[in-house]
Amino acid sequence: YEVELHEQEYTEGDIEDNPDEEESPVLYAIFSKDGRFLLLRDPSMKERISGRVTGSVNAGSLASPISQYVENAPFKSMYVNIKDGNRLIRTVTDVDGNFDAEIANPQGVRAIFQGPNVVVNNLIRGRSQIIIDQPNSQGYDIDLNLYNTPTQSGDDTAAGQESNVFYHLNLAHEFFSQSYLGLGRYVDRLRTIAIINARNPFSCSGICGVVLGYVRGSSIFFLDNGGIGGDGTRNRYAIYHEYGHIISGRLGYGYRSIMQVIINEGYSDFSACVIGEYAIENYPNIFLYSIPVCSDSSSIPSLDNLDYFDKSIIVGMLYDVRSEFTSAQQAEYVIYNALRLRPRSFVDLVESLIV
């Protein structure tokens, strides 16, 4: 159509390079008297924006798993959705919680408890909860501290449960992704589904004690009952323990006998301890609290308060093996790869470690 602009006529229209794409079209104007071209909007003219996602995590030890929260921890491997006009651009935070993207018309940022490695669903709140929907007038840094800190009574907020599980499962994934373990093909495409506020499906009074979580396939169910430090979402060692079961399952190890139950649970307790050590070594500003019992094979704790017919024997043996190597990395490679042979007894496990 034609209108008058400063006593001149011009024609307005849209140019689309590819009509199938969801890009906003170029908006232009051509003056009819002299043919001058006026560019009104061009989505290819983008600006680079950047931000950082930080929040609270529970860094407590077994002795005090509830009260030791650390704020401003970087949230890595988290999806951040950036609204660009009428579409969403998805980016992922790096190990320092940073993200960036080229955007034509930034209107706001959203962070959710999802990422390439972990998805957190809360059976009470629903799936894929948005943590924060922040307009760009407030900048692009996302501060989760106000959303995921515990209440004054010591109970976690719903966001606090979700963020704590999300953070620690990503850290466990980082540990098992290290190249020296040789587990790349088992964890590279592993995406864990964490379901919190689940119900306990087991009925085994007398020997089960308190169940904090359980694993089915690549899903971890964290229960809403009591136990060490409340439910499993507060205790990072319980989170690491359950992730260890996912790795055991992907290596083909199962629960076909009582002895396999003992070995499997022992491995997961061992995993919880070594991942805890890895966290302290690599994130010293966050994880200030060590658990010395994990390096003492005579007093390995039962992290989920279950005996499993004295699985501490297995954990103690694995730590003894680890201490005999000059390199902890070499020992961990041997220990985790022994599961590939699927030992069915204590003797089988010893032979698998030797092989």
Side-chain angles (χ1 to χ4, degrees):
Y1 56 88
E2 296 182 351
V3 297
E4 290 189 0
L5 177 66
H6 299 298
E7 299 181 351
Q8 295 193 59
E9 295 179 347
Y10 80 98
T11 300
E12 184 182 56
D14 291 338
I15 297 176
E16 296 188 37
D17 294 333
N18 185 349
D20 295 330
E21 294 182 355
E22 296 182 359
E23 294 278 354
S24 300
V26 174
L27 181 65
Y28 69 96
I30 301 176
F31 290 91
S32 58
K33 288 187 177 181
D34 55 16
R36 282 185 297 136
F37 184 90
L38 178 64
L39 184 63
L40 302 180
R41 184 180 72 237
D42 182 359
S44 66
M45 299 176 63
K46 299 179 179 179
E47 62 175 296
R48 178 165 289 278
I49 67 169
S50 61
R52 191 165 185 252
V53 181
T54 55
S56 302
V57 296
N58 191 332
S61 67
L62 282 172
S64 182
I66 299 177
S67 60
Q68 297 171 342
Y69 276 79
V70 174
E71 295 186 351
N72 302 316
F75 273 64
K76 58 181 177 292
S77 300
M78 171 179 274
Y79 286 149
V80 176
N81 294 332
I82 306 168
K83 190 174 183 181
D84 184 15
N86 60 356
R87 65 180 186 143
L88 287 177
I89 304 296
R90 171 172 283 181
T91 184
V92 183
T93 56
D94 63 17
V95 70
D96 295 315
N98 298 315
F99 65 90
D100 61 72
E102 287 189 346
I103 305 296
N105 185 24
Q107 296 181 358
V109 292
R110 295 178 180 181
I112 56 179
F113 290 118
Q114 288 189 8
N117 307 321
V118 178
V119 175
V120 176
N121 295 331
N122 191 328
L123 291 184
I124 293 179
R125 290 220 298 164
R127 301 180 61 185
S128 305
Q129 287 296 312
I130 295 173
I131 304 170
I132 182 172
D133 190 351
Q134 179 170 290
N136 63 338
S137 61
Q138 299 179 19
Y140 300 108
D141 287 347
I142 298 177
D143 181 6
L144 306 179
N145 290 303
L146 297 177
Y147 294 81
N148 61 357
T149 52
T151 63
Q152 291 182 350
S153 65
D155 294 330
D156 287 335
T157 60
Q161 291 176 310
E162 294 164 10
S163 61
N164 208 51
V165 168
F166 181 87
Y167 187 94
H168 291 299
L169 287 179
N170 272 296
L171 195 150
H173 184 276
E174 178 182 301
F175 170 79
F176 282 108
S177 296
Q178 296 177 102
S179 59
Y180 74 83
L181 286 175
L183 302 177
R185 70 188 184 95
Y186 298 97
V187 297
D188 286 347
R189 296 184 180 180
L190 172 59
R191 196 177 192 212
T192 302
I193 309 295
I195 301 171
I196 67 177
N197 289 306
R199 297 291 180 182
N200 188 351
F202 305 106
S203 57
C204 49
S205 59
I207 64 170
C208 282
V210 176
V211 178
L212 296 183
Y214 63 95
V215 169
R216 286 180 179 171
S218 58
S219 297
I220 302 178
F221 296 80
F222 292 100
L223 308 185
D224 60 356
N225 57 5
I228 301 176
D231 61 44
T233 63
R234 294 189 193 176
N235 190 325
R236 64 183 173 116
Y237 297 101
I239 297 172
Y240 302 157
H241 172 100
E242 299 304 333
Y243 197 90
H245 283 312
I246 289 183
I247 299 302
S248 298
R250 292 180 75 83
L251 290 172
Y253 199 79
Y255 287 84
R256 298 176 182 86
S257 68
I258 293 297
M259 194 63 213
Q260 283 196 337
V261 170
I262 297 171
I263 294 173
N264 209 327
E265 293 298 326
Y267 259 89
S268 284
D269 275 2
F270 175 79
S271 296
C273 288
V274 295
I275 296 172
E277 290 179 11
Y278 173 82
I280 293 170
E281 291 172 359
N282 289 275
Y283 301 94
N285 294 328
I286 300 173
F287 300 105
L288 307 177
Y289 310 100
S290 62
I291 43 173
V293 290
C294 280
S295 58
D296 180 0
S297 62
S298 65
S299 57
I300 295 295
S302 179
L303 298 181
D304 53 3
N305 202 29
L306 309 178
D307 289 332
Y308 286 114
F309 306 100
D310 205 1
K311 60 181 176 176
S312 60
I313 296 174
I314 302 298
V315 192
M317 183 187 71
L318 295 178
Y319 260 97
D320 288 343
V321 170
R322 192 169 183 253
S323 65
E324 291 300 317
F325 281 76
T326 56
S327 166
Q329 293 185 354
Q330 292 176 345
E332 289 161 10
Y333 172 82
V334 170
I335 288 169
Y336 283 108
N337 280 273
L339 279 180
R340 291 180 178 178
L341 300 179
R342 304 177 186 178
R344 294 175 294 178
S345 66
F346 185 87
V347 174
D348 280 351
L349 177 58
V350 172
E351 291 179 344
S352 299
L353 292 168
I354 294 174
V355 171

